Amino acid sequence: MAPDELGTERIRTLLFKYALPAIIAMTASSLYNIVDSIFIGHGVGSLALAGLTIAKPFMDICAAFGSLIGVGAGTLVAIRLGERKNEEAAKVLGNVLLLNIGLSLIVMLAGVIFLDPILVAFGASDDTLSFARDYMLIILLGNVPTHLYFGLNNVLRSSGHPYKAMTATIGAVLLNVILDPIFIFTLDMGVRGAALATVISQCVAVLWQLTNFLDKNEVLHFRKGMWRIDWQIGLEMTAIGLSPFLMNLAHCLVVVILNNQLKKYGGDLAIAAYGVINRYTFVFCMIVMGLNQGMQPIAGYNYGAKHFDRVMRVFSLTAIAATCVTTTVFLLGEIFPEAMVRIFTHDPQLVDISVYAIRIIVSVFFLIGFQMVTGNFFTSLGMAKKAIFLSLTRQVLFLVPLALLLPLIPIEGGIWGLNGVWWSMPISDAMSAFVAALLLTRQIKTFNPNR
């Protein structure tokens, strides 16, 4: 699909064409951690699964630095193409590559040097530290292709090639699924095998992505003059990407706090249970993120072209679809919690803890779709401050204080303890959805002053 069609094609058709491959890609992408968790949970054990849960926020922090550049680049490319500034869009592509390589090397070096202290701070115990360390060391050494993989996929999608972005992700995931059992079981590498499979898969995907920008018949391709850092473009990308970066960073901070609270009140099995529930909800959240990625170039292009009616139309359709997805999470988690949990483990004690917790955590999950789409909507329009504020409300302003304070509430015979940690999540979800509705209402009035 040519970029010009973002401003003329029917919105419903556009959203379907852009969101469907993004949904498939994001769902497939979620299989990285899902597949690793299934193989490790059944083949290595509950403590290894807890170690993977502890390593996950560190891995997400590394990916967050990639999103700092990649998401901003995708938005800038869509806006510049909407303004018909193709040369500037090409400069954005060049800066994605250069800045991602530099930033990923810095993150890798810092992560390797301080690996053990970070994992201990993230909630690792003597029993889980070795699993978390083995996994993260290999992930860190593959940080450069990870950053490039996410950044180039955003640019591919925003330049009118959602299916190519989808192909890169699906190809990487399929390779990961093939390599996982070989490395984990056949070669007896355990958690290290899972990490190595992920890194190799992303390296192959990056090589394929790069070949797509060699075609000079494409609007966006490699050309002279784009291979130097433009700090103005870098600042613009960073400003736009700051919202998802802070959201990812905040999410990691929250997971670290939750891991430590769970360790304090419930031990390693409570951490493992949270990891199981996270991976269940993560699959559906990735579908919503796919919808958001489908919305992003459409909203960005039409905002740049000042077609505000089309901007609101794509938002409305995306929010409705996302709410349907997160309502499904709520229903499955409340009605069939044990079936969801047993995908990852058959440990009876871990199953009991997870089934109890999942019903609490997803109790207001039907609100999350709207909240996620609203936050990404502001990012798509380049409204960094609003997007940052909205992303921080759920993760930091609400959830962190609740997770720290609710366990201390006195009840008959003691304190609320572990239940307080579980209940902090749905309460913060409800509060953040309310704030999102307020911000969106104010923004709509700027598009339609007479409302």
Side-chain angles (χ1 to χ4, degrees):
M1 179 180 291
D4 285 351
E5 294 184 276
L6 290 169
T8 58
E9 184 71 63
R10 187 185 181 197
I11 291 294
R12 186 183 297 273
T13 302
L14 279 173
L15 185 59
F16 180 80
K17 289 182 178 178
Y18 272 74
L20 181 61
I23 289 169
I24 294 172
M26 294 304 291
T27 305
S29 180
S30 70
L31 291 177
Y32 277 122
N33 289 310
I34 300 299
V35 170
D36 286 353
S37 300
I38 291 172
F39 281 123
I40 289 172
H42 288 291
V44 186
S46 297
L47 287 177
L49 194 58
L52 202 61
T53 301
I54 290 160
K56 180 67 163 58
F58 193 7
M59 185 178 178
D60 288 345
I61 287 175
C62 297
F65 281 98
S67 72
L68 180 63
I69 304 299
V71 173
T75 300
L76 270 187
V77 164
I79 292 174
R80 293 295 179 267
L81 292 176
E83 295 169 339
R84 301 186 183 280
K85 297 178 180 178
N86 296 345
E87 289 290 335
E88 291 192 22
K91 291 181 181 178
V92 173
L93 172 59
N95 276 261
V96 169
L97 290 166
L98 296 173
L99 292 175
N100 258 330
I101 290 173
L103 186 59
S104 61
L105 288 172
I106 294 172
V107 172
M108 177 191 73
L109 183 61
V112 170
I113 292 173
F114 301 106
L115 181 56
D116 276 15
I118 290 173
L119 293 174
V120 170
F122 281 16
S125 67
D126 292 340
D127 294 325
T128 59
L129 178 60
S130 62
F131 294 112
R133 182 199 300 120
D134 288 348
Y135 186 83
M136 272 311 302
L137 182 60
I138 294 175
I139 292 294
L140 283 169
L141 294 176
N143 204 41
V144 172
T146 297
H147 278 212
L148 292 177
Y149 167 72
F150 288 118
L152 290 175
N153 243 25
N154 276 294
V155 174
L156 266 177
R157 190 178 302 106
S158 294
S159 62
H161 295 295
Y163 285 94
K164 288 184 177 181
M166 177 192 73
T167 301
T169 300
I170 291 179
V173 170
L174 289 176
L175 182 57
N176 187 62
V177 170
I178 293 170
L179 294 178
D180 252 342
I182 295 173
F183 290 157
I184 295 173
F185 299 117
T186 306
L187 299 180
D188 196 25
M189 295 180 66
V191 294
R192 289 174 296 175
L196 185 60
T198 297
V199 171
I200 291 175
S201 301
Q202 291 178 348
C203 286
V204 173
V206 168
L207 292 175
W208 184 84
Q209 288 168 327
L210 291 172
T211 62
N212 284 279
F213 294 108
L214 294 173
D215 186 354
K216 294 186 178 180
N217 293 319
E218 293 288 341
V219 174
L220 190 64
H221 61 269
F222 294 143
R223 63 183 77 189
K224 293 181 180 179
M226 61 178 283
W227 299 111
R228 60 176 181 270
I229 294 178
D230 185 319
W231 294 112
Q232 182 60 40
I233 291 176
L235 287 173
E236 286 186 68
M237 286 193 296
T238 302
I240 295 171
L242 199 58
S243 170
F245 170 74
L246 289 177
M247 183 168 63
N248 288 335
L249 207 61
H251 174 70
C252 296
L253 171 65
V254 169
V255 171
V256 169
I257 292 173
L258 288 173
N259 281 345
N260 279 283
Q261 290 293 87
L262 291 168
K263 178 182 175 183
K264 179 179 180 180
Y265 295 106
D268 289 331
L269 279 182
I271 294 177
Y274 178 56
V276 167
I277 298 166
N278 239 353
R279 281 155 179 78
Y280 158 65
T281 58
F282 184 63
V283 176
F284 293 92
C285 285
M286 292 297 270
I287 296 175
V288 176
M289 290 176 67
L291 286 166
N292 281 338
Q293 289 187 1
M295 175 184 70
Q296 181 178 327
I298 304 169
Y301 185 101
N302 284 284
Y303 183 72
K306 301 189 183 303
H307 296 156
F308 299 133
D309 57 330
R310 292 173 62 82
V311 172
M312 288 309 304
R313 176 65 173 161
V314 73
F315 168 80
S316 299
L317 290 173
T318 307
I320 291 170
T323 300
C324 291
V325 172
T326 53
T327 300
T328 302
V329 178
F330 162 74
L331 293 173
L332 290 175
E334 296 294 340
I335 300 172
F336 306 109
E338 187 170 342
M340 300 300 103
V341 170
R342 286 191 178 278
I343 295 172
F344 300 94
T345 180
H346 290 300
D347 182 326
Q349 190 176 359
L350 181 54
V351 169
D352 289 343
I353 296 173
S354 301
V355 167
Y356 176 79
I358 198 172
R359 284 198 167 109
I360 297 173
I361 291 175
V362 304
S363 58
V364 297
F365 218 80
F366 49 85
L367 299 174
I368 294 297
F370 166 77
Q371 197 269 349
M372 290 179 66
V373 171
T374 303
N376 187 265
F377 179 64
F378 289 120
T379 300
S380 300
L381 304 186
M383 299 178 181
K385 291 181 180 179
K386 292 180 180 179
I388 291 168
F389 172 74
L390 190 55
S391 68
L392 291 179
T393 54
R394 178 187 177 218
Q395 302 285 0
V396 177
L397 299 181
F398 298 146
L399 183 51
V400 169
L402 288 170
L404 294 173
L405 295 176
L406 290 185
L408 301 176
I409 293 178
I411 59 172
E412 186 178 352
I415 57 175
W416 207 8
L418 185 58
N419 274 330
V421 183
W422 297 135
W423 276 106
S424 67
M425 301 178 213
I427 293 173
S428 65
D429 288 342
M431 295 170 69
S432 63
F434 176 73
V435 173
L438 290 179
L439 281 180
L440 178 65
T441 300
R442 294 182 63 182
Q443 185 58 47
I444 291 173
K445 290 180 179 178
T446 68
F447 292 155
N448 303 277
N450 295 327
R451 283 194 176 185

